[in-house]
Amino acid sequence: YGKKFLQPAVLPDGLPFSHARLNDDGSITLFYGDFADDKMQLLGNMLLLSQGKKEKAFTELYKVFPAEAFTAAEVNGLPAHLIRGGMLIGSYDASGNSLIDAPVWQQEPFRLTLYWEKDDQCYTLQFSTIPGSGARISDADLIKIAESLQ
């Protein structure tokens, strides 16, 4: 890979390192949790850490989210954003016809994302679950994981 990337020193119980992906833009994403052998299907809860060169402004990346999805935060004194839920951007019937006209904000299954920037790098730390899991992580615990990066 040839580039330095950070890893969390603090992890929630039951979320071991699973795999990493090098992205075409030079960023890297680390995956922690329980995945199927193909590493594509999530079988339980997941923590992912994405890090790379800042390409777009935060407001551009998350422009489809409603204002109530965001909470201001800090990571090691740097401004950060907590983002609750996720956006359903495509849902299709068996014939391939779209079932939604615009992205829909969903809070289930649970997803909590922390976004921050340092110098020319951006970081995204996300905890998410499969439907029906019931697992949660607090804002403070997600920030603690982010602050443990080394």
Side-chain angles (χ1 to χ4, degrees):
Y1 177 66
K3 296 180 183 178
K4 181 182 178 192
F5 62 93
L6 302 175
Q7 300 176 68
V10 173
L11 286 170
D13 290 339
L15 292 177
F17 176 76
S18 173
H19 60 285
R21 287 198 187 127
L22 298 175
N23 304 306
D24 291 339
D25 64 3
S27 65
I28 187 168
T29 305
L30 306 177
F31 294 84
Y32 299 82
D34 187 19
F35 291 83
D37 290 341
D38 66 3
K39 303 299 182 199
M40 298 298 289
Q41 181 183 0
L42 180 62
L43 301 176
N45 303 321
M46 174 186 71
L47 183 76
L48 72 78
L49 171 63
S50 180
Q51 49 198 303
K53 187 171 171 52
K54 180 183 168 192
E55 300 288 337
K56 294 183 179 180
F58 171 80
T59 52
E60 179 67 20
L61 291 170
Y62 291 93
K63 66 183 177 184
V64 296
F65 280 76
E68 59 268 23
F70 304 107
T71 304
E74 282 190 3
V75 173
N76 290 327
L78 297 169
H81 306 272
L82 282 160
I83 305 106
R84 295 181 198 300
M87 297 302 295
L88 176 64
I89 55 173
S91 183
Y92 304 90
D93 65 18
S95 300
N97 300 311
S98 180
L99 298 174
I100 59 173
D101 295 326
V104 177
W105 182 47
Q106 297 182 314
Q107 294 189 66
E108 289 295 332
F110 181 82
R111 181 181 301 169
L112 182 62
T113 305
L114 180 63
Y115 174 95
W116 74 102
E117 300 169 1
K118 182 176 182 183
D119 303 322
D120 67 341
Q121 299 290 299
C122 65
Y123 301 88
T124 304
L125 183 63
Q126 181 182 90
F127 177 84
S128 57
T129 64
I130 58 173
S133 158
R136 300 289 184 263
I137 193 168
S138 70
D139 297 3
D141 285 344
L142 196 62
I143 292 168
K144 183 188 292 185
I145 295 166
E147 292 182 335
S148 79
L149 295 183
Q150 53 187 12

